[in-house]
Amino acid sequence: MIAEDDIRNALKAVKYPGYNRDIVSFGLVKEIAAGKGAVSVSMSLTGGNAEVALQIKTESEQALRALPGVESAFVEVKHQGTAPAGGAQSPWAQQNKLPGIRRVVAVASGKGGVGKSTISVNLACGLQHLGAKVGLLDCDIYGPSIPLMMGVHQKPTISDEEKMVPPSNYGVKLMSMGFLLEGDQPVIWRGPMIMKTIQQFVTQVAWGQLDYLLVDLPPGTGDAQLSLCQTVPLDGGVIVTTPQEASLGVVRKGIAMFEKVNVPILGIVENMSYFTAPNGERIEIFGHGGGRAEAERQKIPFLGEIPIYTEIRLGGDSGVPVVVSHPDRPFGQAFVRVAESLRHKLS
Ligand SMILES: Nc1ncnc2c1ncn2[C@@H]1O[C@H](COP(=O)(O)OP(=O)(O)OP(=O)(O)O)[C@@H](O)[C@H]1O
Ligand SMILES: [Mg+2]
């Protein structure tokens, strides 16, 4: 058992950034919990900014890990941003929450199988195609499919600074829960472990300079998704849906989820909008236009529609996203257009 006093003493070695005083004497430490080899500390920060919070978190975890008997340490720094003076502010007022990363954007959907990962991958490559520096973080613990879709087979390496170096393909850097799972093993991780790992995916990965970090959330809008949204410092969220009403019902849940955690909704993408038969006939398998109609009803932007193309599915299976292999064909163009609207919303 690790003594609370030892934990406090270890934390006294961590200085408040820019000050000579330590974080314990500043009164930041609120709760300490210690179990077998694991320490978890909760801190609360009123002044400062997200960068300060992150630095405190990182240094505290390092200090705790150096304690004898500690195998894992998790420090949560709750940060209440100081409200800026005067009127309306852009949702991006708190820039550079993560050093080097301009915008963190989550891609979510109320239910599974609507093409969320396909959209995340092609949007990431689409933004890269438009000249941006892009990272892609696959938080889907239940079925991480992004490494396959991106054709990435190597695992991250560890840098001299002990950070994880994300593998990359098509100019997009990639981290995935899939890298940490063995084969087809089912995930039996408990919630706190997942949160901790995701947090490290954001803070302990050598992302370098990024214009956009896209985050593929697991399907659904339950507690797991909600806590993920709180774990990652999101700048905005994109909701993916299919046109039919059954899927749109869950769009509303997606909107509610982002609103709960104060993440601005950047817009809706409608996937599988229609299919063009070889004779040119347009077949609206799931109906059409529901995404745009819902966006209008909810007064949120509509980012575009992606039709059904065999090439899109093939691209996913072969690890070459269509926006990479065919940026000028209609199926590649559909993604480029959505990437353009997204870039516009984030500028
Ligand atoms: N517009 C499209 N045209 C053709 N096939 C598509 C399209 N969008 C997605 N697919 C295919 O549908 C399947 C499901 O897509 P995907 O894995 O992206 O969904 P998902 O929402 O991420 O699923 P999950 O909820 O399991 O994470 C994949 O085989 C993918 O290639
Ligand atoms: Mg998926």
Side-chain angles (χ1 to χ4, degrees):
M1 202 62 189
I2 306 145
E4 208 181 291
D5 276 351
D6 293 344
I7 295 171
R8 265 181 206 282
N9 278 334
L11 290 174
K12 280 184 190 158
V14 179
K15 299 272 188 283
Y16 191 102
Y19 288 80
N20 256 331
R21 236 173 102 184
D22 68 80
I23 55 170
V24 179
S25 74
F26 255 119
L28 262 60
V29 178
K30 297 298 174 205
E31 270 172 46
I32 295 179
K36 252 197 224 144
V39 177
S40 154
V41 177
S42 156
M43 302 184 190
S44 146
L45 186 68
T46 29
N49 58 27
E51 252 178 88
V52 168
L54 181 62
Q55 191 176 340
I56 292 175
K57 175 187 163 53
T58 311
E59 290 182 12
S60 301
E61 286 180 347
Q62 265 167 14
L64 292 172
R65 266 188 223 113
L67 274 175
V70 174
E71 274 154 32
S72 71
F74 176 67
V75 174
E76 178 195 32
V77 183
K78 292 198 188 103
H79 165 235
Q80 279 112 38
T82 31
Q89 57 156 319
S90 101
W92 327 120
Q94 280 203 326
Q95 280 194 14
N96 288 324
K97 281 188 280 191
L98 288 167
I101 304 182
R102 273 185 58 227
R103 300 276 186 262
V104 186
V105 176
V107 181
S109 72
K111 66 172 197 175
V114 298
K116 195 165 48 64
S117 301
T118 304
I119 302 237
S120 304
V121 161
N122 279 286
L123 273 188
C125 294
L127 287 164
Q128 201 275 342
H129 177 79
L130 295 174
K133 296 192 185 74
V134 185
L136 180 55
L137 174 55
D138 178 13
C139 288
D140 193 339
I141 33 168
Y142 310 111
S145 48
I146 289 199
L148 267 176
M149 292 182 170
M150 285 289 290
V152 169
H153 305 290
Q154 72 270 39
K155 299 207 166 192
T157 52
I158 304 293
S159 74
D160 292 342
E161 291 85 39
E162 300 212 336
K163 286 208 166 190
M164 282 185 271
V165 182
S168 70
N169 208 2
Y170 316 120
V172 173
K173 294 178 182 170
L174 180 65
M175 269 311 290
S176 169
M177 288 301 267
F179 295 147
L180 304 185
L181 308 173
E182 291 299 325
D184 292 330
Q185 262 182 35
V187 186
I188 43 163
W189 291 19
R190 288 178 307 111
M193 273 299 284
I194 297 169
M195 297 311 144
K196 191 188 146 191
T197 307
I198 299 282
Q199 209 150 40
Q200 287 181 338
F201 276 179
V202 182
T203 57
Q204 305 290 312
V205 168
W207 289 110
Q209 298 288 325
L210 292 183
D211 295 309
Y212 308 104
L213 177 62
L214 295 196
V215 182
D216 185 20
L217 292 176
T221 51
D223 285 350
Q225 290 78 12
L226 209 62
S227 20
L228 276 177
C229 288
Q230 286 168 317
T231 301
V232 185
L234 298 177
D235 292 296
V238 171
I239 297 173
V240 179
T241 184
T242 46
Q244 72 270 42
E245 189 57 31
S247 179
L248 286 171
V250 285
V251 163
R252 289 164 211 148
K253 286 192 194 162
I255 295 173
M257 174 183 79
F258 281 134
E259 281 175 349
K260 234 184 225 168
V261 286
N262 288 325
V263 171
I265 297 159
L266 301 167
I268 293 183
V269 179
E270 181 182 281
N271 189 26
M272 310 193 186
S273 292
Y274 55 87
F275 173 74
T276 310
N279 65 3
E281 188 195 348
R282 176 163 153 152
I283 305 171
E284 300 184 348
I285 296 176
F286 299 117
H288 173 243
R292 186 186 291 275
E294 185 63 20
E296 273 168 20
R297 253 198 307 274
Q298 304 277 347
K299 300 201 168 42
I300 58 178
F302 183 68
L303 295 174
E305 55 185 33
I306 311 287
I308 297 177
Y309 285 101
T310 311
E311 287 85 350
I312 293 179
R313 201 265 305 155
L314 285 173
D317 288 349
S318 63
V320 192
V322 285
V323 83
V324 172
S325 57
H326 301 95
D328 299 324
R329 298 284 300 279
F331 31 89
Q333 275 296 305
F335 288 110
V336 173
R337 277 196 299 273
V338 175
E340 278 168 347
S341 339
L342 186 62
R343 185 178 63 171
H344 180 71
K345 290 276 171 294
L346 285 164
S347 60

